Amino acid sequence: MHHAFTIRALLKQLPVRIETAVAYGDRLLLGTATGALLVYQVSEADRDRVPTLTLVETKKSFARKAVEQLGVIKEAGVLVCLADGMVTLYDLHTLANATPLTNTRGAHIIALHTGVDHIDGIPTLVSKLATYGKRKVVVLEWRDAEFYKSFEFSAAEKIVAMQFSAPGLLVLSTAREFLTLQLPRGQWDDLFPADTASLRTVAGGMAVGHSVDAAGSSDTAPGPQTSAPSGGMWGSWALSLSGSSADVQTTIARMPSDKLLLCHKDTGVFINSAGKLCRNEYSEPMVFSRAPIGITYTSSYAVAISHDSTPQTQPPSSSGSTGNSNPPAPRFNVEVRNIGTQALVQTLHLSEEEPSRIINGAGGKQVWAFGPHTVWRLMPMPIQQQVEDVLDAEQYDEAISLVAQSDNILEAEKEELTKKIRWLRARWLFREQAKYEDALN
């Protein structure tokens, strides 16, 4: 383990409750329980100084009720707001010109994706917004920043999480299983059950479900299918293992290189943009210390927030008595894991209040955590220092992984640095571990 981040509370004891947030450019937008929208300017400081947040605008009547989720389609200049069970679109620059989407009534989940898709052989910048509510998935599409079309698909079961893995593929989870929805044809396919035992099984090499490519083709016979499958044999098995839907803790988190992390409770597996398991890169599932409340990423790390139900031990009082009328407070954790090796890198403890959401910004270069009245920022340590720390600890595979994943090291430097680390690793294997054949190889 080494220090990958330091964490600072940039805002404390806000008078309103934070429900959601989104970061883009030099802006941080906070949606509140009263329906207000707070717009902050983010001023990045030097490496040794903490960034600052300046409140530049307050939209007190932005929504009639609590702002549940926010999203940005930067290419189309659109701010997406989910409030009072309906999605409304705003001009991103003026935060005005509200356009309610009446066909999204009852929505409680949104997902966004922007990427290049080849349409009729022509590379096209495609942005998509997906919403789910009342057993219906609504997808809106923009092409080269111009609105194109909307689609609707019925779902046989309640959806609890969803993310795009590619412009033509939506990955979703019910209480029982993970599914894919091919766009725009509307074909549903099973991936695998959404429970811990099944995730550990599929990560170990057992093939289940269907493979789907990002353009919307699959290895099953083609044919239209407008409603989600009800689960079949895999769904029944998952239900018996995972219990009732009220106990489900399922997260679908975006990761670098167009990957998704599909997580149930403390266990997650990686899939690529085609909806296939990344078995060549990960032979084991990623197992967190505790079930995450939320997960985000940087170029090298998966960062999760969780609640530690084990209270801290209270130190003895000055009088020598260990009694205390106030029960010890629980701790709230930020867990950092190397995406490449899945190793636990760092655990940070928050004492102010329980975090409820974690997001990133600036293409994964910023990491923000939020509590009801607190905003934290995770500041990365310099990558050179991180590599030196793991080398000092003789964790050579970890150092190689950090260099390979970092977006702060030039590609020309990565090759030379990796060679030096491999040489140090070989010398360590030969001298310290007496693994002569491994050292020579």
Side-chain angles (χ1 to χ4, degrees), residues 98-119:
T99 304
L101 305 178
T102 55
N103 60 339
T104 66
R105 290 189 187 278
H108 60 87
I109 305 174
I110 64 173
L112 297 165
H113 185 276
T114 296
V116 176
D117 199 4
H118 288 77
I119 300 174

Side-chain angles (χ1 to χ4, degrees), residues 79-340:
L79 173 66
V80 181
C81 173
L82 173 60
D84 197 17
M86 189 168 69
V87 174
T88 303
L89 306 182
Y90 295 85
D91 183 286
L92 179 61
H93 306 292
T94 65
L95 303 179
N97 303 325
T99 304
L101 305 178
T102 55
N103 60 339
T104 66
R105 290 189 187 278
H108 60 87
I109 305 174
I110 64 173
L112 297 165
H113 185 276
T114 296
V116 176
D117 199 4
H118 288 77
I119 300 174
D120 298 328
I122 302 174
T124 305
L125 184 65
V126 176
S127 299
K128 289 187 178 179
L129 161 66
T131 74
Y132 169 78
K134 293 184 176 180
R135 300 290 175 91
K136 180 177 67 174
V137 177
V138 178
V139 179
L140 288 83
E141 181 175 329
W142 288 258
R143 293 184 177 180
D144 290 330
E146 296 293 330
F147 180 74
Y148 170 67
K149 194 175 182 180
S150 66
F151 308 86
E152 293 188 13
F153 310 95
S154 60
E157 296 186 58
K158 180 180 179 180
I159 303 300
V160 298
M162 67 180 183
Q163 284 281 2
F164 283 96
S165 66
L169 193 64
L170 190 61
V171 179
L172 313 95
S173 176
T174 69
R176 306 193 301 174
E177 62 187 333
F178 291 104
L179 310 166
T180 60
L181 175 59
Q182 299 178 47
L183 304 174
R185 61 192 296 185
Q187 178 171 320
W188 296 81
D189 290 297
D190 300 341
L191 281 179
F192 34 76
D195 65 84
T196 302
S198 298
L199 292 180
R200 296 190 181 193
T201 299
V202 297
M206 184 175 180
V208 298
H210 305 291
S211 60
V212 186
D213 66 33
S217 63
S218 73
D219 58 4
T220 60
Q225 185 176 352
T226 57
S227 61
S230 60
M233 178 187 71
W234 282 103
S236 300
W237 181 33
L239 184 62
S240 66
L241 288 172
S242 61
S244 66
S245 59
D247 299 326
V248 171
Q249 300 177 41
T250 301
T251 303
I252 303 177
R254 188 167 301 284
M255 290 285 122
S257 305
D258 295 323
K259 295 185 180 71
L260 294 180
L261 179 62
L262 280 53
C263 194
H264 178 79
K265 294 188 177 179
D266 63 348
T267 303
V269 297
F270 290 92
I271 63 170
N272 60 22
S273 61
K276 299 179 180 179
L277 285 164
C278 302
R279 290 200 185 96
N280 293 334
E281 299 174 67
Y282 309 100
S283 59
E284 298 290 337
M286 177 173 283
V287 180
F288 293 92
S289 302
R290 297 168 187 85
I293 301 170
I295 308 172
T296 190
Y297 69 91
T298 67
S299 63
S300 306
Y301 300 117
V303 187
I305 53 174
S306 62
H307 178 199
D308 183 359
S309 58
T310 304
Q312 300 182 63
T313 302
Q314 292 285 344
S317 66
S318 57
S319 62
S321 172
T322 59
N324 193 328
S325 59
N326 296 321
R331 295 188 302 182
F332 308 108
N333 300 316
V334 177
E335 183 172 340
V336 181
R337 286 188 175 270
N338 184 321
I339 294 175

